[in-house]
Amino acid sequence: MKAVVYDDYGRMPELRDVPEPECPSGGVVIAVKATGVCRSDWHAWKGHDPVSLPHTPGHELAGVVASVGSGVRDWAVGDRVTVPFVCGCGLCSWCLAGEAQVCPDQTQPGFTGPGSFAELVAIHGADTNLVRLPASVDFVTAASLGCRFATAFRALTTHGRLGSGEWLAVHGCGGVGLSAVMIGVALGARVVAVDVNPAALERASSLGATAVVDGGAVEDVAAAIREVTGGGAHVSIDAFGSPELAVASVRSLRRRGRHVQAGLLLGANATPPLPMDLVISQELEIYGSHGMPARDYPAMLALIDGGTLRPADLVGQVIRLEVAGAALATSDQASAAGMTVVSLGDSHPGER
Ligand SMILES: [Zn+2]
Ligand SMILES: [Zn+2]
């Protein structure tokens, strides 16, 4: 089969022929129809998040079940599916409680094993991790949910408990951030969006953000948000992942506010100096968000099926597998163009 492979950190990935994956016991092999290009893949490629080499990236996938391993109950060849980027083992107490996103024996396609920048990908624990796609959700849209949109959805609903009329601050308007803006607006919140890229702020406004803060022009982003929101945001998310944004996010909260860390903080960025004095005196809540388990997808898919959420609007470009490696190599660069999704299926409207 064809797959995108890199042999060393930072070396340009290549499309080449590799052996097909074996179907794991309890798992499936999926014929990939679409797969997202994500900054998490870029972190692995740069060596920030070590993987075994050579490596095939890709963790935001949708496709069709191509083969089914022994012991799988619920899935058959031909089923249209997606998966969370964290796949639980299906056996441990966390998975049995529906919390597969923190499974100690988790697998992640594109990190713990070969990923979905390939014609076929193996997925473990099918009965725990596969998500059936409604007929109305096409593969490119489904791939765009895999990590950023689902992470934002869970960050705001499960962790943030964001309510109608509340203020949401979104720090960083990339894939997670713009997803958070869209979801926040759909939940009836007032959204203030922060970025240093004016085009990203324009995009946030067009998605319904009430206010924007240009982080490159304002001395104190947190103070600007407290001003705009009349005392601070009820919920704030670092949707990019940097010590500065994490601190600003916590400082932009009102009393009893909830900060959710969704952007990855790795290596030298792993220990931001969060103001724990404020966390105590104002009883702030701090959450980490690690994707969303398959169990929680149906609620999100119902809002997409009904048209309340329109993740397809966040897809900026659809590309072919031949250029996926080059797209990955530049996926750290600030862009307001929206998410890039690789299509391996039949030609798709808007495909380039
Ligand atoms: Zn588990
Ligand atoms: Zn991702």
Side-chain angles (χ1 to χ4, degrees), residues 20-32 63-72 74-79 81 119-126 130:
E20 294 187 1
E22 284 182 24
C23 189
S25 170
V28 295
V29 170
I30 294 174
V32 179
V64 175
V65 175
S67 57
V68 177
S70 60
V72 173
D74 302 337
W75 302 95
V77 170
D79 285 344
V81 295
E119 290 175 314
L120 297 167
V121 64
I123 297 295
H124 296 266
L130 262 54

Side-chain angles (χ1 to χ4, degrees), residues 88-92 95 103-104:
C89 71
L91 303 170
C92 73
C95 285
C103 170

Side-chain angles (χ1 to χ4, degrees), residues 96-300:
L96 295 176
E99 306 278 10
Q101 79 282 1
V102 291
C103 170
D105 298 316
Q106 65 190 247
T107 53
Q108 298 182 14
F111 297 99
T112 63
S116 53
F117 281 28
E119 290 175 314
L120 297 167
V121 64
I123 297 295
H124 296 266
D127 289 332
T128 300
N129 300 309
L130 262 54
V131 176
R132 197 176 302 280
L133 294 176
S136 64
V137 177
D138 64 74
F139 291 119
V140 167
T141 301
S144 80
L145 304 175
C147 152
R148 289 161 285 184
F149 198 88
T151 296
F153 185 83
R154 187 156 182 279
L156 299 187
T157 55
T158 303
H159 298 309
R161 310 185 301 281
L162 182 65
S164 182
E166 290 191 326
W167 277 104
L168 166 68
V170 177
H171 297 259
C173 291
V176 175
L178 290 176
S179 299
V181 171
M182 174 184 280
I183 295 161
V185 169
L187 294 172
R190 289 172 289 177
V191 178
V192 50
V194 184
D195 205 286
V196 295
N197 178 352
L201 294 177
E202 253 175 57
R203 194 79 187 85
S205 293
S206 72
L207 289 168
T210 303
V212 297
V213 173
D214 183 343
V218 169
E219 179 108 357
D220 186 340
V221 165
I225 292 172
R226 291 196 303 271
E227 168 102 29
V228 166
T229 57
H234 299 82
V235 178
S236 184
I237 178 171
D238 173 4
F240 177 75
S242 81
E244 294 75 21
L245 295 194
V247 169
S249 176
V250 173
R251 296 186 67 85
S252 65
L253 291 170
R254 72 177 56 209
R255 289 160 193 274
R256 300 287 280 132
R258 285 88 71 192
H259 162 75
V260 188
Q261 187 65 42
L264 293 177
L265 293 168
L266 298 169
N269 289 338
T271 53
L274 298 182
M276 296 305 283
D277 53 341
L278 289 182
V279 172
I280 295 169
S281 62
Q282 302 190 2
E283 291 203 338
L284 308 178
E285 298 175 43
I286 296 183
Y287 294 94
S289 198
H290 197 228
M292 185 165 84
R295 178 193 66 169
D296 293 352
Y297 270 64
M300 181 179 76

Side-chain angles (χ1 to χ4, degrees), residues 306-318:
T308 304
L309 294 174
R310 306 171 318 284
D313 293 359
L314 300 173
V315 176
Q317 57 173 343
V318 180

